[in-house]
Amino acid sequence: MSEDIILGLNTLVHVVEIVGAIILLLGFIAATVRYIFESLKVGAKQAVKSYRRGLARVILTGLELLVVATIIRTVTFEPTLEKLELLILMIVIRTIIGWTIALEMNNRWPWQRS
């Protein structure tokens, strides 16, 4: 690959990682602020469910972007067996987190009918 393409992909990976981290941070802050205001209106016990759903969405979105960045980096720059193992581990962890969040939010596994 040419130097320009490599530089562009490397920049893209860094941007996607930064956006993923920003989504995690700002999403956590927004969900927490929303929880505080909602708990003042309806009580803390009722606001917890909404808070947990908000955090779940943020975590899934942020993790998706971080996995995308890792996939690009692994395939493009460092296609070693060690990096591939790390990528597989990240995808497995993300999948397990996604399933457990879906279970918690919907009281059923993603593959079960509602």
Side-chain angles (χ1 to χ4, degrees), residues 3 8 13 30 32-33 36 43-44 47 52-53 62 67 71 79 81 90 99-101 103-106 108 110:
E3 293 286 325
V13 167
T32 302
V33 168
I36 291 169
R52 291 176 80 162
R53 284 184 182 210
V67 168
I71 290 171
L81 188 57
M90 282 185 66
W99 285 350
T100 56
I101 288 174
L103 175 64
E104 185 172 318
M105 289 174 58
N106 303 321
R108 61 180 177 83

Side-chain angles (χ1 to χ4, degrees), residues 5-54:
I5 293 173
I6 291 173
L7 181 61
L9 286 173
N10 196 25
T11 303
L12 175 67
V13 167
H14 288 301
V15 167
V16 171
E17 287 175 334
I18 290 170
V19 169
I22 289 171
I23 285 174
L24 286 169
L25 180 64
L26 293 180
F28 168 74
I29 292 169
T32 302
V33 168
R34 195 173 323 127
Y35 166 74
I36 291 169
F37 285 118
E38 191 175 338
S39 66
L40 293 174
K41 289 181 183 177
V42 297
K45 282 189 175 184
Q46 290 180 340
V48 166
K49 188 172 185 176
S50 172
Y51 180 59
R52 291 176 80 162
R53 284 184 182 210

Side-chain angles (χ1 to χ4, degrees), residues 44-102:
K45 282 189 175 184
Q46 290 180 340
V48 166
K49 188 172 185 176
S50 172
Y51 180 59
R52 291 176 80 162
R53 284 184 182 210
L55 286 179
R57 285 188 209 105
V58 166
I59 290 169
L60 289 176
T61 305
L63 282 178
E64 287 294 335
L65 288 172
L66 295 176
V67 168
V68 166
T70 304
I71 290 171
I72 294 170
R73 178 181 292 116
T74 301
V75 171
T76 308
F77 302 114
E78 305 166 21
T80 64
L81 188 57
E82 183 178 304
K83 295 295 180 179
L84 184 61
E85 290 169 351
L86 177 65
L87 176 61
I88 291 169
L89 180 64
M90 282 185 66
I91 291 172
V92 167
I93 290 170
R94 191 267 170 242
T95 302
I96 292 170
I97 289 173
W99 285 350
T100 56
I101 288 174

